[in-house]
Amino acid sequence: MTTDDRRLDGNALAGPLSELFALDLAAATITCAHCGASGPLGAHHLYSDAPAHVVRCPTCTGVVLRFASDSRGLRFEMTGTRLLTVAT
Amino acid sequence: MSFVSRGFTGRRRSGPPGRLPPGQYDAGKAFPVLSAGPVPRRHLDAWDFAVRGEIDDPLSWTWPQFQRLPHVDVTVDIHCVTGWSKFDTRWSGVSVDTVLGEVETAAEYVVAFCDGGYTTNLPLEDVLDGKAWVVDTYDGEPLAPEHGGPARLLVPHLYFWKSAKWVRGLRLSLTDEPGFWENFGYHNYGDPWQNQRYAGD
């Protein structure tokens, strides 16, 4: 099985992210800081067989956010996200 | 993914005497592939290796030019920050000493840059004096894309995230600029014998 086969979609990150966010982020809209495309987290590409969860833009493959939960706590980085929108 | 028969599921902690850093296990014959993104597929006609940054005349080699540089065989142990180590891995490639040759630079650091956007930072002295290579062969075969082919950096004395897959060049820098994992809370230097996994270790 190749790493490309193991790619998940962003819905699979909703569970781990619930450690940090009270809201379910699967439907949150992410606007990519690299190319400007936007879409729901659930439609993004998720690479989880790395030292962190790495979420990439489905349009340009740029990294939009990274999340880790390990012995050092929770780390969330989103310099690749220009805007995160959550409908309320 | 492969299944292992009962009786062989225990991870061998020890490995050859004195060669397993703290917190690591022996991966045996396995060569795990971890990836934070899609595997880049670059045609060799469109590949080059560059040295830029703090250098008066930037250098670059096409794939045929790179193949003509003197290659050396290296057999080394590698250690991934996720816990596995692998002993006596056999590579062939070009020493970074050859690549940097007679380069005059005031730089004290390098950033390896790669297809796919990955970066990792190292002190310049850690890639010189026979400590680092740009390898294009693993175990006698052309380096597979999943393992970083056509060429990857090999810096076996540091955790394997420093051995950047799909490497396209080195940028010489006066300042230390944290790379992809280093700016996400991982250790800036990454010495496996010092257990330098996370920032602050």
Side-chain angles (χ1 to χ4, degrees):
Chain A
M1 200 157 154
T2 69
T3 53
D4 291 353
D5 295 332
R6 283 180 289 179
R7 190 188 79 200
L8 304 173
D9 67 54
N11 289 299
L13 194 57
L17 279 179
S18 67
E19 282 192 90
L20 185 60
F21 292 95
L23 292 162
D24 180 350
L25 288 186
T29 298
I30 289 170
T31 303
C32 175
H34 309 286
C35 74
S38 62
L41 171 63
H44 281 62
H45 295 168
L46 172 62
Y47 292 85
S48 286
D49 58 343
H53 297 288
V54 177
V55 178
R56 290 178 179 267
C57 172
T59 301
C60 75
T61 75
V63 176
V64 293
L65 65 85
R66 291 181 286 177
F67 179 68
S69 173
D70 53 37
S71 64
R72 300 309 168 96
L74 306 177
R75 300 196 298 286
F76 186 69
E77 178 272 325
M78 50 185 298
T79 49
T81 295
R82 180 187 300 163
L83 180 66
L84 179 75
T85 307
V86 181
T88 55
Chain B
M1 231 172 275
S2 62
F3 289 92
V4 181
S5 63
R6 278 183 195 281
F8 294 93
T9 52
R11 286 171 169 175
R12 289 184 292 158
R13 291 275 164 198
S14 55
R19 285 164 61 182
L20 191 69
Q24 297 292 106
Y25 68 88
D26 178 3
K29 288 195 163 80
F31 194 164
V33 173
L34 289 89
S35 192
V39 174
R41 309 271 174 180
R42 178 166 290 275
H43 197 279
L44 295 180
D45 290 346
W47 184 95
D48 65 5
F49 187 88
V51 176
R52 56 171 89 129
E54 286 296 318
I55 177 173
D56 287 339
D57 297 306
L59 304 168
S60 78
W61 294 265
T62 64
W63 183 257
Q65 290 169 335
F66 182 80
Q67 292 304 304
R68 285 195 290 273
L69 292 176
H71 282 53
V72 292
D73 294 330
V74 284
T75 300
V76 292
D77 300 344
I78 55 177
H79 311 290
C80 176
V81 72
T82 60
W84 57 267
S85 290
K86 191 169 172 60
F87 302 102
D88 296 318
T89 59
R90 295 170 52 236
W91 311 81
S92 175
V94 177
S95 170
V96 174
D97 294 305
T98 301
V99 168
L100 295 181
E102 305 298 310
V103 168
E104 300 261 340
T105 181
E108 294 185 16
Y109 303 92
V110 296
V111 175
F113 56 89
C114 306
D115 280 328
Y118 184 77
T119 56
T120 189
N121 56 307
L122 305 115
L124 179 59
E125 65 180 13
D126 279 85
V127 297
L128 296 177
D129 297 326
K131 293 196 286 288
W133 299 266
V134 179
V135 293
D136 54 22
T137 304
Y138 172 71
D139 217 11
E141 301 288 336
L143 184 60
E146 288 73 17
H147 287 299
R152 75 180 298 164
L153 198 61
L154 178 64
V155 193
H157 70 288
L158 301 176
Y159 280 126
F160 211 42
W161 89 75
K162 297 285 187 180
S163 294
K165 291 190 272 196
W166 314 299
V167 71
R168 292 292 306 283
L170 299 174
R171 187 162 52 77
L172 298 162
S173 178
L174 298 174
T175 56
D176 197 8
E177 302 168 41
F180 185 80
W181 290 123
E182 292 85 357
N183 70 24
F184 189 67
Y186 288 89
H187 199 278
N188 195 53
Y189 183 65
D191 180 349
W193 294 97
Q194 301 297 319
N195 220 357
Q196 291 175 340
R197 298 172 194 269
Y198 298 99
D201 282 348

